[in-house]
Amino acid sequence: QLQLVESGGGLVQPGGSLRLSCAASGFTFDDYVIGWFRQAPGKEREAVSCISTSSGITNYADSVKGRFTISRDNAKNTVYLQMNSLKPEDTAVYYCAATGHYNLRCLLGGVFGWGKGTLVTVSS
C-alpha cells in the first residue's frame, strides 16, 4: 500500500536548477525519515540527502552540499529536492525512499519503500 511517486526530472543544462517532488501515500508520512537516493549507469545507488520527520535535521552527501536542499511538507505528504548548480556528474535516476526515523544517515539497509525513480540528465 505504501507508494512514493517522484516527479520533476528532466533535461537541464550544467549550472541549471531542477526541483524534484516525492508524493507519498499509504503510510504515516510524518513518522519517517525520507531520503533521496540516486543511481547512475554502472554505479551503485547512493544516498543524496535525508530529512528528519520534523524537518529539523537534514543530511547531505558531500558531493551535493551547498547545491541541493531537501525539504518536506508533512501536510501535503511531499518531500522536495531543490537542485541548483547542476553538474553532469549529477546525471542519474533519482529515487525517493521511506526509511525509519532513526536513519538520518540514509543507510540503504534502513529503507523500506522506494519510488520508481525519475531521471535527471544534466547535459549541454
Side-chain angles (χ1 to χ4, degrees):
Q1 192 172 356
L2 183 153
Q3 188 173 18
L4 298 164
V5 181
E6 302 95 337
S7 62
L11 176 65
V12 63
Q13 294 183 344
S17 297
L18 211 59
R19 190 177 79 156
L20 305 183
S21 298
C22 172
S25 62
F27 67 105
T28 307
F29 177 79
D30 56 344
D31 283 348
Y32 297 95
V33 169
I34 305 296
W36 287 97
F37 296 73
R38 68 185 182 186
Q39 188 166 21
K43 296 184 178 180
E44 297 181 352
R45 189 169 298 188
E46 63 176 350
V48 176
S49 181
C50 284
I51 186 166
S52 66
T53 57
S54 64
S55 302
I57 302 172
T58 56
N59 288 316
Y60 298 91
D62 288 341
S63 59
V64 307
K65 286 181 179 177
R67 299 189 297 120
F68 290 12
T69 303
I70 190 170
S71 61
R72 67 191 294 166
D73 186 339
N74 288 342
K76 296 181 178 180
N77 284 3
T78 302
V79 173
Y80 306 95
L81 185 68
Q82 178 67 46
M83 304 184 294
N84 298 326
S85 301
L86 283 162
K87 304 175 181 179
E89 302 92 281
D90 296 317
T91 296
V93 176
Y94 284 71
Y95 299 91
C96 179
T99 184
H101 66 272
Y102 55 87
N103 194 22
L104 289 170
R105 292 174 290 175
C106 298
L107 299 177
L108 285 170
V111 174
F112 62 84
W114 295 95
K116 294 182 179 179
T118 185
L119 177 63
V120 173
T121 302
V122 184
S123 176
S124 299

